[in-house]
């Protein structure tokens, strides 16, 4: 039987959740026995080539490219798991959500104390910022949530193995953390 | 047992209650935990958060304000009530701007701890994202209204414990906010870092400056044991 | 200038006896004079009363009629209640915006006129209506608007309408059907004279035998309320009349206060005798300020006739008088404990119960809070006897009920009818053919479908405080329900979390469904939220705020089913909207792919 396929995505976050996945230490070998990684920054596969069983999403949704990729993930993955506070709530990047976007950009690129000859970046190659940083579940349907900043290696391990072996992903008290 | 003692029944278990006690007080004494956020044992009840709502003879009522009386039959730890409580906790999360990863109250925050206890993985109600004012004018204490759940504990503590009136409310409905007794912010009031009110906030809204992040992750109040464990522990050790 | 200002504040505070309990009156007086309550005013009032600034601000920031920012000399408060919008308020709003040159929520450039919306002002039988500095305008047509605005622009001295030359329209009575209890001829003092020849217990017992229940909608037995209040030991007891009829679509108290104020005061005096109170309050909603002159005159006349004051009707030691307290725009003050808070000069936040007002009410003393109509009934029961009263209506709902009928019907107005009348008969009476739905009891009541029109208006079947809104066949019913929820969002006091946040979330969720972005899961979520708000909220407002949704989900499921889409998830997220701000800032204009889920 083919091993389940897993894809991962880094949206607007710090990559800490991906790091936490690597933090499962030698259990990574067990995981490698259990699954095969498809599109993921871990193996640098850039596009979906086949339907994937589980998509792991890190980061909030802050620009049009995030939206496009999140929708791609929804199309290509049977199960989508939002991983970590940014994916779940927008996280630290969402701290800008109560400040108008214009003010954010002006502070960063025009008026900040270290800005010299500033201008608001406008290249067509740069993704377009959204008005807010959105949690993944406000854009597509999310099947499971794994909280944490990042979720601990134990949380990820417990949830992934349960998911891949068709067991209940109920997290014990100590693994539900918002930080 | 004195003649005065009454008995109430919580989730089928008989609990002793004294005259003058509320349902919540009687339950606490007996080691039965009823979830709550705005209640504080040193203060008069506020009735704001409604998490402590139980069914009293079948009708919903806030246990922090409802007087215990002999023979009351109370439902508390039911799936129905806990689902309502979970929704209220979600409401409080999406109403404010709670960024747990960057909040110094994380790990000691009662709102967060209540979400953990009720098994809330993440709020999924729509975020309101209202801008709220920060008041860092006072030299020792700050107010970050993004994290305020309008429990009114600071206001009650300032009045009852400190004999002052540093805090109040302003506005109404979804625009209601915690307010201070000064034209120019907290520095314009007689707030002191020694006030009981300074350390009574259940979240990261009203905090003493320069005290954050002293306790390492893993040793904070709710890292290992759910909120309410101290009360439930009473029963366990009987 | 600054000195004059401080002097004004001090004089006003003195005028009300430096009494913290009169803070509402102090604020009203200063607001009328200054046009708003600035932080400076708030500080001065606090100093003059010897209380904290935050306490004054707490109250001042609560009521819709108090502005904390400078406003125009005239504030036009256009009523945007559901019935008013059904009858052209939106067109009138547009006309005002054009004539004044600003949007609602703003003040004109010349600083003279502010535009505000206000919920139901008790004129649903003569819409569209507005309040202009306390003056009521009704049946406003878009073509009237330029004239009104020109008159206000010309008008000096606070922008009073009559000074500007515009004739304010009279409020119509629209009393369509009188009955034997409330709208029958009365003889001043008849009930009091009978009462003072009875013992207080006998008065209460007479009400008990009449089986009269509270007319506000909840239907608590009046005799029991009076009895609890009377028996609660304290150094003072109070009679409080709830004249804060704010339920959208209700205006029956307006008609009582206009036509039968004497009967109400008669009932209050009887209540005073029965519960042993020396003081009574009529809490009058701020929207009815235009009635206060008439009411004060009526009180003065009654004092002259010895029906108020000391040793009333010759009864040694029976002293009783009535003060009118005006509100300032807050629906929640119709809740009895919120009303008491407001009466004490505080924000109108309901209290937790127990203790009930009959145990601890105004100033923590036993207080009986009764509906205007209930007190009228009480007076009549004493006058004509319990048997006479109990012979009318049904077994559990004796007497008559005043119904305020509005919406899609030929004869909107007030009807005094015996309890037990079916919705069907009522619709016939008011001239409402082919109604698709009837909202009974206002937004906090229930929305009935034709299958329920055979039901009877009574406590045992369809209870109501009196509001009846008819929706004709062409109405977008769920849009009307959305406006009801919007009303609760605006009127939630904010004290408790489930109502404060839940009403806003209910509105968002309903709007998602109405925008065609809903699935079956969204309807489930709508119901779940509704039940949470209903079960967990602290007072009647929150406990009924979800009713427009919950009762239409039950009675009109097809309307919802027709709106939802297949599948289990549609995001409320809209990429085009989400990048609009960015595109405006950077001038970019990307081509978007067709959105897919």
């Amino acid at each position: 039987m083919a091993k389940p396929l897993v894809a991962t995505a880094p949206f607007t976050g710090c990559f800490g959740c991906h790091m936490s996945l690597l933090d499962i230490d030698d259990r990574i070998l067990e995981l490698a026995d259990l699954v095969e990684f498809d599109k993921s920054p871990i193996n640098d596969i850039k596009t979906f080539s086949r339907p994937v069983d589980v998509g792991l999403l890190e980061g909030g949704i802050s620009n049009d490219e995030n939206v496009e990729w999140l929708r791609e993930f929804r199309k290509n993955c049977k199960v989508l798991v939002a991983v970590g506070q940014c994916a779940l709530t927008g996280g630290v990047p969402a701290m800008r959500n109560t400040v108008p976007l214009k003010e954010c950009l002006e502070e960063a690129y025009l008026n900040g104390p270290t800005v010299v000859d500033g201008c608001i970046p406008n290249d067509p190659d740069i993704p377009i910022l959204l008005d807010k940083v959105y949690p993944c579940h406000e854009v597509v349907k999310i099947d499971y949530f794994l909280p944490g900043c990042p979720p601990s290696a134990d949380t990820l391990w417990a949830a992934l193995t349960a998911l891949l072996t068709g067991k209940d992903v109920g997290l014990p008290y100590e693994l539900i953390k918002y930080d | 047992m004195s003649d005065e003692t009454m008995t109430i029944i919580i989730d089928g278990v008989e609990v002793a209650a004294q005259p003058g006690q509320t349902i919540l007080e009687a339950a606490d004494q007996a080691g039965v935990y009823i979830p709550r956020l705005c209640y504080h044992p040193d203060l008069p009840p506020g009735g704001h958060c409604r998490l402590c709502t139980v069914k009293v003879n079948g009708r919903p009522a806030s246990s922090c304000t409802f007087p215990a009386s002999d023979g009351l039959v109370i439902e508390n730890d039911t799936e129905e009530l806990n689902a309502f409580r979970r929704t209220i906790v979600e409401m409080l999360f999406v109403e404010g701007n709670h960024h747990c990863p960057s909040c110094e109250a994380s790990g000691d925050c009662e709102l967060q701890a209540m979400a953990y206890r009720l098994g809330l993985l993440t709020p999924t109600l729509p975020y309101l994202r209202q801008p709220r004012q920060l008041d860092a004018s006072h030299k020792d204490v700050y107010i970050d209204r993004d994290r305020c759940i309008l429990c009114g504990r600071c206001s009650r503590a300032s009045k009852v414990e400190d004999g002052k009136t540093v805090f109040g409310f302003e506005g109404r409905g979804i625009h209601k906010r915690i307010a201070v007794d000064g034209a120019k912010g907290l520095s314009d009031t007689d707030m002191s870092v020694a006030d009981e009110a300074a350390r009574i906030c259940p979240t990261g809204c009203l905090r003493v400056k320069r005290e954050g992040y002293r306790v390492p992750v893993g040793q904070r109040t709710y890292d290992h044991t759910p909120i309410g464990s101290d009360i439930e522990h009473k029963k366990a050790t009987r | 200038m600054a000195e004059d200002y401080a002097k004004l504040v001090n004089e006003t505070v003195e005028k009300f006896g430096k009494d913290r309990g009169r803070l509402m009156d102090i604020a009203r007086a200063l607001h009328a004079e200054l046009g708003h309550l600035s932080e400076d005013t708030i500080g001065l009032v606090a100093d003059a009363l010897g209380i904290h600034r935050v306490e004054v601000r707490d109250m001042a920031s609560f009521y819709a009629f108090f502005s904390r920012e400078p406003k125009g000399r005239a504030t036009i408060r256009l009523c945007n209640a559901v019935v008013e919008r059904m009858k052209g308020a939106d067109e009138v709003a547009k006309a005002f915006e054009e004539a004044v040159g600003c949007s609602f929520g703003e003040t004109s450039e010349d600083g003279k006129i502010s535009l505000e919306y206000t919920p139901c002002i008790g004129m649903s039988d003569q819409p569209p209506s507005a309040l202009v500095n306390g003056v009521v305008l009704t049946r406003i047509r878009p073509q009237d608007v330029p004239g009104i605005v020109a008159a206000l622009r010309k008008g000096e001295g606070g922008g009073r309408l009559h000074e500007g030359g515009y004739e304010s329209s009279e409020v119509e009575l629209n009393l369509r059907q009188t009955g034997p209890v409330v709208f029958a001829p009365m003889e001043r003092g008849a009930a009091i004279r009978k009462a003072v020849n009875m013992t207080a217990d006998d008065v209460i017992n007479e009400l008990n035998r009449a089986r009269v229940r509270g007319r506000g909608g909840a239907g608590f037995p009046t005799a029991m309320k009076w009895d609890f209040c009377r028996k609660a030991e304290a150094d003072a007891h109070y009679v409080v009349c709830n004249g804060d009829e704010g339920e959208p679509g209700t205006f029956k108290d307006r008609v009582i206060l206009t036509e039968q104020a004497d009967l109400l005061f008669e009932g209050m005096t009887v209540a005073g005798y029965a519960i042993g109170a020396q003081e009574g309050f009529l809490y009058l909603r701020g929207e009815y300020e235009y009635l206060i002159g008439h009411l004060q005159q009526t009180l003065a006349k009654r004092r002259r006739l010895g029906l108020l004051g000391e040793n009333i009707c010759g009864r040694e030691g029976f002293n009783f008088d009535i003060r009118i307290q005006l509100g300032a725009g807050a629906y929640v003050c119709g809740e009895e404990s919120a009303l008491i808070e407001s009466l004490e000069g505080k924000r109108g936040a309901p209290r937790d119960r127990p203790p009930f007002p009959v145990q601890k009410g105004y100033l923590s003393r036993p207080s009986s809070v009764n509906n205007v109509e209930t007190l009228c009934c009480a007076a009549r029961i004493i006058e004509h006897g319990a048997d006479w009263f109990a012979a009318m209506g049904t077994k559990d709902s004796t007497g008559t009920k005043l119904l305020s009928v509005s919406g899609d019907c030929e004869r909107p107005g007030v009807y005094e009818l015996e309890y037990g009348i079916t919705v069907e008969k009522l619709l016939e009476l008011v001239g409402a053919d082919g109604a698709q739905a009837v909202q009974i009891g206002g937004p906090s009541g229930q929305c009935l479908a034709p299958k329920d029109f055979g039901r009877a208006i009574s406590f045992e079947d369809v209870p109501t405080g009196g509001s009846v809104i008819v929706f004709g066949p062409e109405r977008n019913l769920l849009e009307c329900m959305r406006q009801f929820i919007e009303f609760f969002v605006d009127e939630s006091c904010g004290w408790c979390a489930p109502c404060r946040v839940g009403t806003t979330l209910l509105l968002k969720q309903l709007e998602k469904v109405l925008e065609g972005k809903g699935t079956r899961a969204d309807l489930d979520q709508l119901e779940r939220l509704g039940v949470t708000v209903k079960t967990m909220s602290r007072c009647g407002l929150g406990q009924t705020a979800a009713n427009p949704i919950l009762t239409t989900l039950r009675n009109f499921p097809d309307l919802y089913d027709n709106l939802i889409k297949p599948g289990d998830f549609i995001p409320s997220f809209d990429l085009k909207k989400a990048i609009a701000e960015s595109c405006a800032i950077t001038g970019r204009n990307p081509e978007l792919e067709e959105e897919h889920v």
Side-chain angles (χ1 to χ4, degrees), chain C residues 369-446:
Chain C
V369 184
N370 294 109
N371 186 270
V372 172
E373 188 184 343
T374 311
L375 289 159
C376 291
C377 292
R380 291 296 195 189
I381 291 165
I382 297 309
E383 194 182 341
H384 297 302
D387 297 334
W388 166 82
F389 188 84
M392 292 175 275
T394 69
K395 185 173 156 285
D396 289 327
S397 315
T398 52
T400 61
K401 178 77 193 96
L402 300 190
L403 299 175
S404 319
V405 184
S406 66
D408 296 315
C409 63
E410 284 165 30
R411 293 176 290 281
V414 170
Y415 294 75
E416 181 175 352
L417 302 164
E418 280 191 40
Y419 270 113
I421 185 171
T422 61
V423 175
E424 209 157 32
K425 277 239 176 73
L426 178 66
L427 290 176
E428 217 172 280
L429 199 62
V430 305
D433 285 343
Q436 67 159 317
V438 181
Q439 186 76 27
I440 307 243
S444 72
Q446 44 186 327

Side-chain angles (χ1 to χ4, degrees), chain C residues 532-568:
Chain C
T532 305
V533 174
K534 192 181 180 80
T535 313
M536 303 300 271
S537 291
R538 183 164 182 254
C539 81
L541 191 152
Q543 288 157 14
T544 58
N547 282 357
I549 290 172
L550 295 175
T551 64
T552 48
L553 275 172
R554 193 171 61 229
N555 294 335
F556 298 89
D558 292 352
L559 292 181
Y560 288 98
D561 289 347
N562 293 340
L563 282 170
I564 59 171
K565 304 270 158 59
D568 58 356

Side-chain angles (χ1 to χ4, degrees), chain B residues 69-181:
Chain B
S69 66
D70 204 28
L72 290 184
V73 178
I74 290 148
E75 290 171 49
N76 169 40
D77 191 14
T78 66
E79 189 37 56
E80 185 198 20
L81 285 169
N82 286 333
F84 290 142
R85 290 166 180 153
R86 211 175 292 125
T87 302
I88 293 178
V89 169
E90 269 198 79
M91 286 179 181
L92 292 170
F93 268 104
V94 302
E95 179 194 26
N97 300 296
H98 299 273
H99 303 288
C100 294
S102 57
C103 177
E104 59 194 78
S106 195
D108 302 312
C109 168
E110 293 178 33
L111 175 67
Q112 186 191 62
M114 191 59 68
Y116 294 169
R117 182 183 170 109
L118 295 169
L120 178 69
L121 292 176
T122 194
T124 54
L125 293 169
Y127 288 93
L128 301 187
R129 303 183 175 116
Q130 298 176 350
R132 286 153 171 245
Q133 252 184 344
L134 180 89
D135 183 345
S137 64
H138 193 277
K139 64 182 173 40
D140 296 321
V141 183
Y142 70 82
I143 306 171
D144 184 345
R145 290 187 180 81
D146 276 345
R147 304 164 180 172
C148 180
I149 58 170
L150 292 165
C151 69
R153 271 199 207 169
C154 54
S155 168
R156 280 174 282 147
S158 182
K159 273 199 196 78
V160 179
E161 297 283 313
D162 304 325
K164 302 179 181 181
T165 301
V166 173
F167 302 97
F169 293 116
E170 67 185 307
R172 81 176 184 204
I174 198 73
H175 305 294
K176 192 180 177 211
R177 297 285 182 273
I178 201 80
V180 297
D181 189 38

Side-chain angles (χ1 to χ4, degrees), chain A residues 17-176:
Chain A
C17 297
H18 275 83
M19 291 296 117
S20 195
L21 182 63
L22 299 180
D23 223 20
I24 57 178
D25 297 334
D26 52 350
R27 286 174 291 187
I28 195 95
L29 298 173
E30 260 179 82
L31 189 63
D33 281 341
L34 210 55
V35 302
E36 186 183 338
F37 278 89
D38 198 79
K39 177 181 160 43
S40 169
I42 293 174
N43 54 21
D44 216 19
I45 298 176
K46 304 261 196 255
T47 53
F48 283 105
S49 52
R50 52 199 163 158
V52 165
D53 295 287
V54 178
L56 303 177
L57 312 170
E58 174 186 348
I61 305 303
S62 74
N63 60 45
D64 64 336
E65 192 185 81
N66 287 167
V67 174
E68 192 187 326
W69 273 110
L70 178 56
R71 287 173 174 166
E72 276 300 299
F73 264 75
R74 183 67 274 181
K75 265 198 286 186
N76 289 284
C77 303
K78 275 187 216 146
V79 170
L80 274 191
V81 187
V83 179
Q85 286 314 105
C86 296
L88 267 57
T89 72
V92 171
M95 288 176 80
R96 80 158 160 93
N97 281 358
T98 49
V99 182
L101 183 60
K102 191 155 189 276
E103 276 178 41
C104 291
L105 289 171
E106 285 173 353
E107 177 64 24
Y109 294 110
L110 300 179
N111 307 328
T114 57
V115 176
V116 181
D117 294 336
C119 75
I120 294 174
N122 195 13
D123 192 282
D125 286 342
I126 303 174
I128 302 171
L129 284 177
L130 306 182
D131 56 345
K132 310 281 177 200
V133 180
Y134 294 86
C136 290
H137 69 261
E138 289 196 9
V139 182
V140 300
K141 184 177 180 355
I142 298 297
D143 303 296
Y144 293 98
F145 297 99
L146 297 182
C149 187
S152 68
D154 289 342
T155 307
L156 288 169
W157 176 249
L160 268 180
T161 48
L163 209 57
L164 294 167
T165 52
K167 287 190 195 117
D168 184 19
V169 194
L171 293 178
Y173 177 83
E174 289 201 46
L175 296 188
I176 302 179

Side-chain angles (χ1 to χ4, degrees), chain C residues 240-253:
Chain C
V240 182
C241 172
N242 184 344
D244 194 56
E245 70 169 349
E247 191 67 41
T250 320
F251 45 86
K252 64 176 180 76
D253 292 347

Side-chain angles (χ1 to χ4, degrees), chain C residues 1-12 34 40 44:
Chain C
M1 184 61 204
E3 270 174 35
D4 288 353
Y5 175 51
K7 202 171 145 227
L8 171 74
V9 171
N10 281 322
E11 279 173 4
T12 309
L34 301 167
D40 283 349
L44 287 170

